[in-house]
Amino acid sequence: MKVGVLAFQGAVREHMNMLKRAGAEPVAVKREKELYEVDALILPGGESTVIGKFLRETELGRIIIERAKSGMPVWGTCAGMILLAKRIVNENYVHLGLMDIWVRRNAYGSQLDSFIVRRPVLAVSPKPLELVFIRAPYAEKASPGVEVLLELDGKIVAARQNNLLATAFHPEVTDDPSFHKFFLEMVSSDCE
Ligand code: GLN
């Protein structure tokens, strides 16, 4: 199974290593050709404004929207979650606008800019997972069609909507491939 990682900016190599550990073939996606070759795509953390601009200035944004709408699994981590959202509550723009979540950028402010907690995410793994938040967003609300996988202090930090997965934190910088395995299961089960 070929899983792409959008390779313009951000935590690309970490995701590629984890995908390998989880049993997939990682592909760095920079051009249209690579995007058409993959079975699924990860939008990594980084700076959503920068990645969003790249998506708009190339054909990649349009193709991701088209492929996601016809069922390609897409997982956004951190900035990737912002790229997926239909609404960014503290901005007046939207990027891919695919997932029915209302996200807040840089939601933890400067005091809690970056932090790590351990929580079980039952859909993903019975044991507590290390959750690394780096200037992270959270979702303030989600439509009924969205399955909330984890809330932290009443805010949504992991969610799935059919073929779309969003996490506010960064599983790729931990030593645990559980989230990547969960995504690969979404890819192998027809999750439309
Ligand atoms: N704060 C970044 C943004 O708004 C996201 C940070 C991250 O991806 N680690 O895009």
Side-chain angles (χ1 to χ4, degrees), residues 9-11 44-51 77-83 91 93 95 104-107 132-137 168 170 172:
Q9 191 234 22
E47 205 49 56
S48 56
T49 47
V50 177
I51 303 174
T77 53
C78 200
M81 179 179 189
I82 299 167
L83 295 170
E91 305 286 1
Y93 53 77
H95 298 287
R104 180 173 291 278
R105 275 189 78 199
N106 300 324
V132 181
F133 291 81
I134 305 168
R135 292 190 306 112
H170 290 261
E172 77 285 4

Side-chain angles (χ1 to χ4, degrees), residues 164-177:
L164 306 175
L165 176 67
T167 56
F169 45 87
H170 290 261
E172 77 285 4
V173 302
T174 70
D175 195 36
D176 187 335

Side-chain angles (χ1 to χ4, degrees), residues 117-121 124-125 127-131 169 176 178-179:
V117 294
R118 281 184 166 272
R119 292 284 187 286
V121 185
V124 175
S125 165
K127 59 175 201 252
L129 299 175
E130 193 182 15
L131 309 176
F169 45 87
D176 187 335
S178 300
F179 250 101

